[in-house]
Amino acid sequence: MKVFGKNVLYEALNSNHKIFEVYLREDVFKNDTLFVNRLNQRKIKIHILDKHQMNQMFDGLHQGYGANIENFNNYALEDIINPNKKQLFLILDKLNDPNNLGAIIRSCDAFGVDGIIIPNKNSIGITDTVVKVSTGAIFYVPIVTVSNINQTIDKLKKNNFWVVGTDASANQSISEIKNDRNLALVIGSEGYGISSLVAKNCDYLVKIPMTGHVNSLNASVSAGIMIYALMNQSE
């Protein structure tokens, strides 16, 4: 797939992700000798393009950096469950905004989330925009695509996970959930939250206590706050 952005390409190199070829704007090729040298060391083909050519090839804020890379691994749930450690997963229920998904991936990497689970229908997948907004964090966070979230929740419970759903009308606060067990946090779609059946299958429903006049948060902001709260809970 084609990706773009300086941080994205640097992290692709740092993570040893397979890079087929790189496209650099003329000024970037001239000035970023460190990056060019690293590409040459790995014998990655470089195409030097002018500004117009770069803009035609990459529809986004590319900063003069673009690449054609190997598609991201399609992990199975079994690939990311580790019975020898306490884990935190994030389940995204029909999230549709690539900017939200990219920002969530970035937060997951920052706070050490062990994996993200997304449905393969009615949800945004991995796009160039998602990769760009993640600033390269996507190279470090396993993403599992599933056909049915509720069946996945059942599998997680059988593997000793407790499932925490997010709901603005919930009675419990996120701060009441102790991080002393395997947890899977469910974040809902931008406009509708988590579905009623998913909510029914959760062990807990929690909210972020707010005191402002507008009691709603962007999905990626909510995810970041809740992940931080869970990862910093005293056992």
Side-chain angles (χ1 to χ4, degrees):
M1 70 177 294
K2 286 184 178 179
V3 297
F4 55 86
K6 180 177 180 178
N7 288 337
V8 170
L9 266 65
Y10 264 85
E11 295 306 333
L13 273 178
N14 292 338
S15 65
N16 290 318
H17 195 90
K18 178 66 175 179
I19 302 172
F20 299 115
E21 53 192 346
V22 167
Y23 303 85
L24 298 179
R25 198 172 56 211
E26 293 167 325
D27 59 310
V28 171
F29 178 78
K30 178 180 177 180
N31 296 321
D32 196 348
T33 55
L34 172 64
F35 186 66
V36 171
N37 288 339
R38 291 183 65 187
L39 293 174
N40 287 332
Q41 288 170 3
R42 295 214 1 213
K43 298 181 179 180
I44 297 172
K45 186 174 182 180
I46 303 173
H47 302 273
I48 305 170
L49 307 180
D50 61 30
K51 182 178 179 180
H52 177 70
Q53 291 171 318
M54 285 294 295
N55 290 340
Q56 281 191 317
M57 182 164 287
F58 300 100
D59 184 20
L61 187 59
H62 52 72
Q63 302 167 288
Y65 296 77
N68 184 19
I69 67 171
E70 187 173 52
N71 290 337
F72 291 92
N73 287 338
N74 186 19
Y75 288 92
L77 187 62
E78 294 74 18
D79 295 331
I80 65 171
I81 292 177
N82 183 350
N84 298 316
K85 64 172 287 193
K86 183 181 63 178
Q87 293 184 288
L88 173 62
F89 294 153
L90 197 66
I91 301 173
L92 303 179
D93 186 11
K94 299 179 181 177
L95 203 72
N96 289 302
D97 186 334
N99 292 288
N100 272 335
L101 179 54
I104 286 171
I105 294 170
R106 189 173 179 179
S107 294
C108 287
D109 176 56
F111 298 129
V113 173
D114 297 288
I116 299 173
I117 299 167
I118 60 175
N120 60 13
K121 295 181 180 178
N122 301 314
S123 176
I124 186 68
I126 304 304
T127 68
D128 55 0
T129 299
V130 171
V131 176
K132 166 64 174 174
V133 175
S134 81
T135 64
I138 192 169
F139 294 108
Y140 305 103
V141 182
I143 297 177
V144 176
T145 303
V146 299
S147 58
N148 188 295
I149 286 182
N150 289 294
Q151 290 177 2
T152 301
I153 288 175
D154 288 339
K155 289 181 182 178
L156 287 169
K157 289 182 176 182
K158 290 176 182 177
N159 282 275
N160 300 314
F161 278 79
W162 294 75
V163 182
V164 182
T166 54
D167 187 338
S169 62
N171 294 321
Q172 275 189 295
S173 165
I174 185 64
S175 61
E176 297 177 60
I177 304 301
K178 297 300 181 182
N179 186 18
D180 59 355
R181 64 198 73 182
N182 293 320
L183 295 173
L185 176 66
V186 186
I187 300 292
S189 66
E190 293 86 352
Y192 302 100
I194 63 177
S195 64
S196 56
L197 184 55
V198 170
K200 183 178 179 181
N201 286 329
C202 291
D203 298 299
Y204 305 100
L205 290 177
V206 299
K207 63 183 178 182
I208 300 171
M210 291 181 282
T211 58
H213 297 89
V214 181
N215 288 323
S216 63
L217 293 171
N218 174 281
S220 63
V221 173
S222 296
I225 291 171
M226 291 199 170
I227 293 167
Y228 180 82
L230 289 174
M231 297 303 285
N232 286 274
Q233 273 292 335
S234 299
E235 295 187 4

